[in-house]
Amino acid sequence: MPKPAYAAKRSEETAIPGQRSYLTRGTGAYRRASLALFLSGFSTFSLLYCVQPLLPIFSQEFSVSPAESSLSLSLSTGFLALAILCAAAVSEGLGRRSLMSISLLGAALLTIATAFAPNWHLLLVIRALQGFVLGGVPAVAMAYLAEEIDPRGLGASMGLYVGGTAFGGMSGRVLTGIFAEYLEWRPALFLIGAIGLAAALGFIALLPPSKNFVRRPGFDPSFHARAWFGHLANPALPFIFAIAFLAMGSFVTIYNYAGFRLVAPPYSLNQTELGLIFTVYLFGIGAASIGGLIGDRIGHFSVLLFGLALTAAGSALTLSAALPSIILGIIVLTAGFFMSHSIASGLVGRLAHGTKGHASSLYMLAYYVGSSLMGSAGGWFFAIDGWPAVVAFTLVLLTLAFISACAAQRLARKKT
């Protein structure tokens, strides 16, 4: 029935500036919003990264190089990055809830379509379109949280959302690997798309209408340009955006090419075994939530710096030739990355002054451009000198991210 959607849209359009009614812990609306945003993160990242364990299969079946096979992921994240800027503008008129709902439904259907792609080039086109459609979720979800959740608990709620993205990233990779082992890759993608569709419907049913969102009818390019440039003029925020670019680039690089290393001798893992390695995302879920809670208590920049150092330590650990040490390194890397990401994404909402959706869109733009560009660039290093070159590349990125975090901390303190 159209009535609930109409009522939700009307509520978003009639929010009154200056009147704030936050969602607080312990209420039914808070629990529904938390579960809905968890589902949105789960669906987005399971659909986006479900092809990652299939990269070696794509390379063999379509006769493409590892770097070329990574385009099935990099094109999605690249177009998602471009779409995020558009999504921030569109959501100002359409509403956060409506845009996220459309995006989740469209992305799930496109994943199902990917299962029927007859050739490599059409598969890439569908994946690129899927990334563009998904752009309506990440930045808008962060903006929804920043607007609707009580600021005193924003770190915890952001950690829960990021935990949902971690769970989705894990589920998409693990389930796809298992399905591909027993059903081949096309049925695997079909099933992942069906799961994403169910999550999208759950999101639509659960998410409360926005109470603090003020609709801006029409499209005013100058307003959006001023908002974006205003955030770039904020001394600390560009360094937070740099962290998103560098940390995500290093994280995706490790995950993109670890599969090529582990399916080859001496490890020779099958698709199920490779997929099960991605269960280490569970550590990311816990680290994201714990990092947000600790950051609310002892200081967000301290936790951010610790998380980046942990990510670098995990990357270095994967240099070991022993499989248990490699898996331990991936665990440490995953925990450190999601801790850093939950803190950095929360800092965007704290440091931005107004138009938080635009600030979030810039953060997510940097995040996914880093995933797309650095994730593909890692393939060049892998081709040149194998895994040691990949790790060296990621450690350079993480060193730059650590320096950016120190700079952001200093500038944020000066401002306050």
Side-chain angles (χ1 to χ4, degrees), residues 5 10 32 162 166-167 269 291 336 402:
R10 182 176 180 84
R32 290 193 300 274
V162 173
F167 185 66
L269 301 186
F402 193 91

Side-chain angles (χ1 to χ4, degrees), residues 334-348:
T334 302
F337 169 75
F338 278 103
M339 181 180 292
S340 304
H341 174 43
S342 68
I343 294 295
S345 56
L347 283 170
V348 172

Side-chain angles (χ1 to χ4, degrees), residues 225-400:
R226 287 195 303 272
W228 283 317
F229 282 109
H231 293 306
L232 291 174
N234 183 313
L237 277 178
F239 288 101
I240 302 296
F241 302 151
I243 293 168
F245 177 90
L246 296 163
M248 182 58 171
S250 63
F251 179 73
V252 169
T253 295
I254 292 292
Y255 270 82
N256 272 359
Y257 303 104
F260 288 95
R261 182 190 185 194
L262 295 176
V263 298
Y267 311 106
S268 301
L269 301 186
N270 60 38
Q271 284 299 311
T272 298
E273 292 167 336
L274 182 61
L276 288 174
I277 287 178
F278 292 116
T279 57
V280 301
Y281 256 61
L282 290 170
F283 293 91
I285 298 171
S289 300
I290 293 170
L293 288 169
I294 295 175
D296 286 338
R297 295 179 181 179
I298 70 170
H300 298 91
F301 280 104
S302 297
V303 179
L304 174 60
L305 291 168
F306 176 76
L308 291 171
L310 203 61
T311 308
S315 180
L317 271 173
T318 65
L319 286 169
S320 171
L323 183 60
S325 296
I326 295 172
I327 295 173
L328 177 61
I330 295 175
I331 289 173
V332 173
L333 170 102
T334 302
F337 169 75
F338 278 103
M339 181 180 292
S340 304
H341 174 43
S342 68
I343 294 295
S345 56
L347 283 170
V348 172
R350 288 181 170 83
L351 297 175
H353 301 292
T355 59
K356 294 182 185 294
H358 290 77
S360 296
S361 72
L362 289 174
Y363 177 87
M364 299 311 297
L365 173 66
Y367 184 87
Y368 288 111
V369 169
S371 172
S372 180
L373 295 183
M374 299 300 100
S376 289
W380 304 338
F381 289 90
F382 186 69
I384 291 170
D385 195 28
W387 193 250
V390 170
V391 172
F393 174 62
T394 61
L395 290 177
V396 169
L397 295 180
L398 290 167
T399 300
L400 293 174

Side-chain angles (χ1 to χ4, degrees), residues 11-378:
S11 176
E12 290 187 339
E13 291 176 352
T14 55
I16 302 173
Q19 294 187 357
R20 296 283 178 175
S21 179
Y22 291 116
L23 300 178
T24 56
R25 292 180 186 176
T27 64
Y30 176 86
R31 287 190 290 269
R32 290 193 300 274
S34 298
L35 180 55
L37 268 296
F38 186 90
L39 287 175
S40 75
F42 166 83
S43 182
T44 299
F45 278 70
S46 63
L47 297 175
L48 187 63
Y49 290 105
C50 62
V51 298
Q52 200 165 47
L54 303 178
L55 298 187
I57 294 177
F58 290 160
S59 183
Q60 182 176 8
E61 178 158 337
F62 296 105
S63 300
V64 296
S65 69
E68 288 175 303
S69 71
S70 73
L71 289 175
S72 60
L73 177 58
S74 294
L75 280 175
S76 296
T77 54
F79 274 83
L80 188 150
L82 294 175
I84 280 173
L85 291 180
C86 302
V90 171
S91 72
E92 295 294 334
L94 184 62
R96 315 290 194 210
R97 186 180 187 275
S98 299
L99 182 58
M100 286 189 286
S101 300
I102 293 169
S103 297
L104 290 171
L105 288 172
L109 294 173
L110 284 167
T111 300
I112 292 173
T114 306
F116 299 97
N119 57 62
W120 177 241
H121 293 99
L122 185 57
L123 186 148
L124 292 181
V125 169
I126 297 173
R127 287 288 298 173
L129 183 58
Q130 181 189 36
F132 188 82
V133 170
L134 275 175
V137 181
V140 178
M142 289 173 61
Y144 179 94
L145 287 171
E147 291 168 347
E148 305 301 325
I149 301 297
D150 188 332
R152 291 169 296 182
L154 181 59
S157 62
M158 192 68 74
L160 183 62
Y161 166 68
V162 173
T165 70
F167 185 66
M170 179 198 73
S171 300
R173 292 169 168 99
V174 172
L175 292 177
T176 303
I178 295 173
F179 292 156
E181 176 72 18
Y182 295 100
L183 302 174
E184 299 189 349
W185 69 270
R186 292 183 187 275
L189 288 180
F190 181 90
L191 289 172
I192 292 297
I195 293 171
L197 185 60
L201 294 174
F203 169 85
I204 293 170
L206 289 169
L207 188 70
S210 298
K211 293 182 179 180
N212 301 319
F213 170 77
V214 180
R215 182 175 181 265
R216 291 182 173 84
F219 180 75
D220 182 1
S222 63
F223 164 77
H224 298 294
R226 287 195 303 272
W228 283 317
F229 282 109
H231 293 306
L232 291 174
N234 183 313
L237 277 178
F239 288 101
I240 302 296
F241 302 151
I243 293 168
F245 177 90
L246 296 163
M248 182 58 171
S250 63
F251 179 73
V252 169
T253 295
I254 292 292
Y255 270 82
N256 272 359
Y257 303 104
F260 288 95
R261 182 190 185 194
L262 295 176
V263 298
Y267 311 106
S268 301
L269 301 186
N270 60 38
Q271 284 299 311
T272 298
E273 292 167 336
L274 182 61
L276 288 174
I277 287 178
F278 292 116
T279 57
V280 301
Y281 256 61
L282 290 170
F283 293 91
I285 298 171
S289 300
I290 293 170
L293 288 169
I294 295 175
D296 286 338
R297 295 179 181 179
I298 70 170
H300 298 91
F301 280 104
S302 297
V303 179
L304 174 60
L305 291 168
F306 176 76
L308 291 171
L310 203 61
T311 308
S315 180
L317 271 173
T318 65
L319 286 169
S320 171
L323 183 60
S325 296
I326 295 172
I327 295 173
L328 177 61
I330 295 175
I331 289 173
V332 173
L333 170 102
T334 302
F337 169 75
F338 278 103
M339 181 180 292
S340 304
H341 174 43
S342 68
I343 294 295
S345 56
L347 283 170
V348 172
R350 288 181 170 83
L351 297 175
H353 301 292
T355 59
K356 294 182 185 294
H358 290 77
S360 296
S361 72
L362 289 174
Y363 177 87
M364 299 311 297
L365 173 66
Y367 184 87
Y368 288 111
V369 169
S371 172
S372 180
L373 295 183
M374 299 300 100
S376 289

